[in-house]
DNA sequence: TTTAATAGTAAACATCTGTTTACCATAATC
DNA sequence: GATTATGGTAAACAGATGTTTACTATTAAA
C-alpha cells in the first residue's frame, strides 16, 4: 500500500474523526471547511488519492465515503442483557442495557452478551464481571463452555456428557459440579459461550 | 422510552442495517425505496417519530441521522500490532494489522491491542491468544498487569515492587518471575494492561 | 361522536452536495 | 529542461437531498 502525504493523512484523519464523533461521514464541503480549502476541487483531489491508494472507497450519493476495514474494522453490535433472552432481541427491546460494539466476526444470529457473576470458572480464564458472547441454542458438544439456566438462573459452566446425564462442571475446586439427569425440566441450555470481553484487567 | 409501532421499527432496522452494511446512514429517499413509500413526507414522519421517541437524532445536512448510543454503542478503534509501537500509531501506519472496534470506554490516547503469546498469566485469567488492551506509558503501580519489553520482546506480567528492584511476576507456577534491578537497560515498561478480548472461548 | 395519532399521498421548492472545466504553483523525478 | 505528481483556485452546473404545504384515510382513544 502506498504511503500518504501529510495532507492526505489530514483528510483521512478528519473523515475518521467525523465518523467517530457523529456517526456519519463528512461531505466534500465539510472537508474543505476543516482543512481551510476554498475549493471543492482540492478536497476532491485528496479523496481521489485516498481512494486510489486503497484507504477509502466512494459510492455515488452524498457523504458516500466508506473506510477500508483494516483502518476501521467492521463492528457487530451485540445486546448486553441482564437475563437470558427468550429469542432474538429487537433493537427497541427494553431488556437490553446497551448494544456494544464488538469485532464483526463475533456477530451472529441472536447472539447476546451476558455478564458473568461469580468465580466458578476462573480455572478456564472466565472471571467475575467478564462479558461473555453467547451463541444461543439448545445444543452443545461435550467439553464446550455453555450458559445454562438452572431454576431460571443463568450459569456459565463446561458441559460434560456422561452416561445417561450431563454435568455442568465448574473449573474452580471451590464450586460443585452440577449433575443433570436427562429430562430434568428445571435445567436447560441457553447457548454456547464463544467469545469474551473483560472491561478491567 | 415509548415503544415503537411496527412501521417505525422497520425504519429503525433499515437505518441500522444500512449503517452496518456500508458505514453511512440512508437518505430520506432511500428509506422510501426500502419501505415502498412513494412520498418523502411519509418517511419523514417516521424519522420525526423516532427522534421524538429518542431512538435517533437528526442534524442538518444530508444523511445526518445519528443513532442513540444505547442502541448502537459508540466504538473506539484500536490498532492490533505485532510488536509494541514506539508511540501513538497513525491511521495509515503499516505496523498495524487491523483496527478493531471495541467499546468506546476502552479508548484512550495511544492505546493498542497486543496478542498474548504463552500461558504465563493463566492464573490471572489471561490466556494464550487473548488480545489485551494496553494503555501505554513507562509507569505502573505495584500489582498492576503490564506489558514489559525484555530484550526487545514483549511480555505480559504482574509488576511487583521490591526493595531496590521490581519483579515481573508470572501467575503460572510453571513460569519464572523475572527480577529487574534498577537501571537495567534491556527491560522497560511499555504500558499497563487495561482490558481484554478473547476471540474464542 | 369527536379528537388525536399514525400513516400515507403529491407536488413544489430550497438547499446541499458532488462533479466538471479550466487554470496555476511548486516540487520531485526523469 | 521537460514531465509528472501534488496541491491548490474559481466558477458553473447537475443531481441529490431535505423540507414544506396541503391533503386523505384509518385506527385508537377520549
Amino acid at each position: 500500500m502506498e504511503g500518504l502525504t501529510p495532507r492526505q493523512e489530514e483528510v483521512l484523519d478528519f473523515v475518521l474523526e467525523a465518523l467517530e464523533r457523529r456517526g456519519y461521514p463528512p461531505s466534500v464541503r465539510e472537508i474543505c471547511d476543516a482543512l481551510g480549502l476554498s475549493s471543492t476541487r482540492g478536497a476532491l483531489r485528496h479523496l481521489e488519492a485516498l481512494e486510489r491508494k486503497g484507504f477509502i472507497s466512494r459510492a455515488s450519493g452524498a457523504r458516500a465515503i466508506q473506510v477500508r476495514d483494516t483502518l476501521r474494522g467492521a463492528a457487530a453490535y451485540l445486546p448486553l442483557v441482564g437475563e437470558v433472552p427468550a429469542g432474538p432481541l429487537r433493537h427497541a427491546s427494553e431488556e437490553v442495557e446497551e448494544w456494544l460494539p464488538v469485532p464483526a466476526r463475533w456477530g451472529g444470529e441472536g447472539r447476546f452478551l451476558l455478564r458473568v457473576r461469580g468465580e466458578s470458572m476462573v480455572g478456564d480464564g472466565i472471571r467475575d464481571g467478564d462479558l461473555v458472547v453467547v451463541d444461543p441454542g439448545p445444543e452443545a458438544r461435550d467439553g464446550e463452555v455453555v450458559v445454562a439456566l438452572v431454576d431460571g438462573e443463568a450459569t456459565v459452566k463446561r458441559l460434560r456428557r456422561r452416561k445417561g446425564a450431563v454435568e455442568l462442571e465448574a473449573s474452580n475446586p471451590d464450586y460443585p459440579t452440577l449433575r443433570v439427569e436427562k429430562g430434568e425440566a428445571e435445567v436447560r441450555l441457553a447457548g454456547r459461550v464463544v467469545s469474551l470481553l473483560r472491561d478491567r484487567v
Side-chain angles (χ1 to χ4, degrees), chain A:
Chain A
M1 179 96 51
E2 286 178 84
L4 294 178
T5 69
R7 235 0 203 173
Q8 286 165 6
E9 193 154 358
E10 253 187 282
V11 171
L12 181 61
D13 287 350
F14 178 69
V15 171
L16 290 163
E17 180 270 322
L19 278 165
E20 222 144 307
R21 169 168 42 88
R22 69 185 183 180
Y24 56 91
S27 65
V28 174
R29 282 175 177 81
E30 284 170 343
I31 294 170
C32 285
D33 292 344
L35 272 78
L37 294 169
S38 58
S39 163
T40 50
R41 190 74 195 90
L44 208 54
R45 284 201 184 285
H46 294 307
L47 290 177
E48 284 165 357
L50 288 170
E51 184 167 27
R52 187 171 63 249
K53 292 178 175 181
F55 288 88
I56 65 168
S57 61
R58 300 184 67 225
S60 70
R63 304 172 186 276
I65 298 175
Q66 288 162 297
V67 177
R68 192 166 57 104
D69 266 1
T70 48
L71 265 177
R72 188 175 193 265
Y77 292 81
L78 300 186
L80 172 59
V81 291
E83 301 184 357
V84 169
L89 291 151
R90 287 156 36 245
H91 285 119
S93 175
E94 296 198 12
E95 306 167 58
V96 177
E97 292 171 32
E98 58 187 315
W99 293 76
L100 282 173
V102 298
R105 62 183 175 263
W106 291 19
E109 180 62 34
R111 287 188 180 190
F112 58 92
L113 291 162
L114 199 64
R115 195 176 297 280
V116 171
R117 290 289 170 227
E119 302 273 347
S120 69
M121 291 300 286
V122 296
D124 282 317
I126 301 173
R127 327 194 100 203
D128 184 61
D130 287 354
L131 301 180
V132 292
V133 178
V134 182
D135 185 13
E139 305 293 328
R141 287 195 290 272
D142 180 65
E144 287 186 314
V145 176
V146 300
V147 174
L149 287 165
V150 180
D151 296 332
E153 291 279 316
T155 185
V156 176
K157 292 291 185 290
R158 193 173 297 275
L159 183 131
R160 298 291 184 196
R161 295 191 183 284
R162 313 289 186 211
K163 280 194 173 102
V166 295
E167 290 182 346
L168 296 174
E169 182 184 83
S171 61
N172 181 342
D174 294 343
Y175 288 74
T177 287
L178 182 69
R179 183 179 176 86
V180 186
E181 304 292 337
K182 265 179 176 166
E184 261 183 304
E186 64 275 25
V187 177
R188 71 172 185 83
L189 196 61
R192 301 180 299 114
V193 172
V194 290
S195 303
L196 180 150
L197 292 148
R198 183 170 299 152
D199 271 321
R200 190 168 288 122
V201 163

